[in-house]
Amino acid sequence: MTHESTPVPGTGTAAAAPVFSPALTPEEGAAAATDLFREVFGCEPDGVWYAPGRVNIIGEHTDYNGGLALPIALPHRAHLALRRRDDRTIRLVSPQTRETVDVLDLDVIGPKGTPGEVRHWNAYVAGVAWALEQDGLGPLSGFDAALYSCVPLGGGLSSSAALEASTSVALDEVCGLGLAGTVEEPDDAGRARLVTSCVRAENEMAGAPTGGMDQSASLRCRAGHALELDCRTGEVTQVPFDLAAAGLALLVIDTKAKHSLVDGQYRARRAACERSAKVLGVELLADVDVADLDEALARLANSGEDNADELVKRTRHVVTEIDRTRRLITLLQNSRPLAGQTLAEVGALLNGSHDSLRDDYECTCPELDVAVDTARAAGAHGARMTGGGFGGSAIALVDVDKVDEVARAVVASYAEAGFTPPAFLDALPSAPAGRLA
Ligand code: GLA
């Protein structure tokens, strides 16, 4: 990246050049985590395990409705240097907390809201050990662990799922669970079991009622592929996603607008979907066929529920989003490399997803909308928010030679709007969780 400045439209002032958040190489990540481990615990770790953050291409707020999602793993990862202990103590440290090692006891920790509640990021690490035991995979031993992550925190890129997944593959190996296989030869069925425990940790220990897409992405994606995830059955299909061969790039725009999945908005969306399903007499909203959507929406509108309008909007998003996801997957599978009319259709589906999340699911925010509108106006084939929303990140599908231009346009729009400058990531479909060293 160069560091020249460009005039901001309408202001005559100069905007800074786009700042890209680099991913550490595996060697850099392993070295940083190992150095911290040695410094704090004074011995060698048994190894370093890592797990990626993710971006979701399409299929947003579909996972807890039993629908489809299509995430890729990022090259940005959480690295965990870990050493098994002979007792039930867990000691955790990160660069932010290196002065104070957190000490926990596997026999004492418990879900959020109970006396054993675990605070902050410790809930994602110790929580996985707790959840594995709850899921019948214990008893486990305690461990010492040092975290070094380059997944942007609060960027909607699943920094917490990366923590959970890295802990799960580390414990899988040091405690001899034998579920994960290797990065080169992953055991997908075993990883699906680890996903279950990671989701349990997030739901019960951290108190975030999320749906499982993030943990599945971190553990079950493959390099060069997007993961078609059927969230009802847990079945996955690897969909080739070689953007470079098509002269394309997926630009991630971290809006820097903080989002939190622990807060009430995500929970409220999920509750509205569950209510809609109940009113419609289906188990999950994925059971509503898009061909029957109008009829379903009419029933909700006339249901007499206090929030009937809300239920109509949320349901319309979920059912049309599952349909968009299915159509986009078909386009990817049938057209390689992505070009011409097919590329235009993919872009339109991405745009349709964002518009639905903005208008019907009401989970965008000004920073996300400005990023998406600007990217589209600057020549992106399609752009949308990704992840839970209410802040976090957006993605834009752009020609490789337009990445810088689109990023610069977003920086300029943010300056004009008075927003905190965004950061950017290059979303190369990367490898799932595994062992590094
Ligand atoms: C967050 C949650 C996921 C999923 C997405 C929205 O990332 O963790 O489970 O619900 O939001 O698609």
Side-chain angles (χ1 to χ4, degrees), residues 54 56 59-64 156 158 202 209-215 259 261 266 385 387-389:
R54 63 96 191 91
N56 190 21
E60 220 63 87
H61 289 281
T62 52
D63 59 353
Y64 51 82
S158 295
E202 175 125 358
T210 55
M213 185 246 298
D214 309 341
Q215 295 78 8
H259 86 143
L261 293 173
Y266 185 95
M385 58 151 271

Side-chain angles (χ1 to χ4, degrees), residues 359-393:
D359 300 337
D360 276 343
Y361 223 65
E362 298 176 287
C363 66
T364 68
C365 63
E367 289 86 345
L368 283 168
D369 293 336
V370 166
V372 164
D373 291 347
T374 306
R376 289 179 189 169
H381 297 285
R384 59 180 291 274
M385 58 151 271
T386 188
F390 309 107
S393 293

Side-chain angles (χ1 to χ4, degrees), residues 33-34 37-38 43-49 80-83 144 435:
T34 303
F37 188 97
R38 283 192 193 121
C43 59
E44 290 297 306
D46 292 334
V48 182
W49 290 262
L80 202 66
L82 185 142
R83 183 184 174 102
D144 293 335
R435 183 181 176 137

Side-chain angles (χ1 to χ4, degrees), residues 54-424:
R54 63 96 191 91
V55 290
N56 190 21
I57 309 300
I58 196 164
E60 220 63 87
H61 289 281
T62 52
D63 59 353
Y64 51 82
N65 288 300
L68 298 175
L70 190 69
I72 62 168
L74 288 171
H76 299 70
R77 298 161 171 159
H79 306 86
L80 202 66
L82 185 142
R83 183 184 174 102
R84 182 178 181 276
R85 296 174 59 95
D86 292 331
D87 57 16
R88 301 268 292 165
T89 299
I90 297 174
R91 294 192 298 167
L92 303 175
V93 69
S94 78
Q96 290 78 26
T97 63
R98 65 192 330 142
E99 304 307 325
T100 48
V101 176
D102 292 309
V103 182
L104 304 158
D105 182 340
L106 249 176
D107 290 320
V108 172
I109 60 174
K112 193 173 170 75
T114 69
E117 173 171 324
V118 177
R119 309 281 300 271
H120 310 304
W121 67 276
N122 290 347
Y124 301 114
V125 176
V128 168
W130 173 86
L132 287 167
E133 291 196 335
Q134 295 293 311
D135 289 337
L137 294 164
L140 306 180
S141 25
F143 54 92
D144 293 335
L147 166 70
Y148 202 95
S149 179
C150 64
V151 185
L153 284 184
L157 301 172
S158 295
S159 52
S160 54
L163 266 183
E164 293 152 1
S166 58
T167 307
S168 76
V169 288
L171 294 182
D172 178 63
E173 190 171 332
V174 300
C175 296
L177 305 182
L179 291 169
T182 61
V183 177
E184 297 73 30
E185 286 187 50
D187 174 345
D188 192 63
R191 284 172 178 246
R193 286 192 71 184
L194 296 178
V195 167
T196 304
S197 299
C198 290
V199 174
R200 186 173 195 151
E202 175 125 358
N203 291 168
E204 297 182 34
M205 294 292 279
T210 55
M213 185 246 298
D214 309 341
Q215 295 78 8
S216 298
S218 195
L219 280 155
R220 302 177 75 187
C221 277
R222 298 276 187 285
H225 293 76
L227 184 79
E228 175 184 351
L229 176 64
D230 181 326
C231 301
R232 181 195 284 281
T233 62
E235 276 172 29
V236 298
T237 307
Q238 302 293 337
V239 183
F241 195 58
D242 188 355
L243 291 175
L248 296 167
L250 196 65
L251 176 67
V252 179
I253 306 158
D254 177 358
T255 66
K256 300 282 180 181
K258 287 291 167 218
H259 86 143
S260 166
L261 293 173
V262 191
D263 78 8
Q265 291 292 341
Y266 185 95
R267 192 180 294 277
R269 295 299 178 283
R270 189 167 178 160
C273 291
E274 283 163 8
R275 187 73 208 151
S276 289
K278 199 157 193 164
V279 172
L280 294 171
V282 292
E283 190 195 345
L284 292 162
L285 284 183
D287 294 329
V288 179
D289 194 298
V290 70
D292 303 327
L293 179 60
D294 288 345
E295 191 196 321
L297 296 183
R299 279 177 63 194
L300 289 169
N302 298 318
S303 62
E305 295 285 316
D306 292 345
N307 59 343
D309 285 354
E310 183 192 347
L311 299 188
V312 166
K313 287 198 213 178
R314 308 301 186 241
T315 303
R316 186 164 52 211
H317 166 71
V318 171
V319 176
T320 58
E321 181 77 352
I322 294 170
D323 182 54
R324 279 186 290 272
T325 306
R326 188 168 287 123
R327 283 158 54 199
L328 197 146
I329 290 167
T330 305
L331 289 169
L332 287 184
Q333 274 162 339
N334 295 340
S335 160
R336 274 178 236 142
L338 203 52
Q341 179 57 25
T342 313
L343 176 56
E345 285 175 37
V346 166
L349 289 168
L350 297 177
N351 290 341
S353 170
H354 184 84
D355 298 351
S356 173
L357 289 156
R358 181 191 61 213
D359 300 337
D360 276 343
Y361 223 65
E362 298 176 287
C363 66
T364 68
C365 63
E367 289 86 345
L368 283 168
D369 293 336
V370 166
V372 164
D373 291 347
T374 306
R376 289 179 189 169
H381 297 285
R384 59 180 291 274
M385 58 151 271
T386 188
F390 309 107
S393 293
I395 51 171
L397 185 61
V398 293
D399 294 333
V400 160
D401 57 7
K402 279 206 160 173
V403 168
D404 196 53
E405 193 179 323
V406 172
R408 279 177 182 274
V410 175
V411 170
S413 296
Y414 268 48
E416 191 166 29
F419 297 154
T420 303
F424 299 89

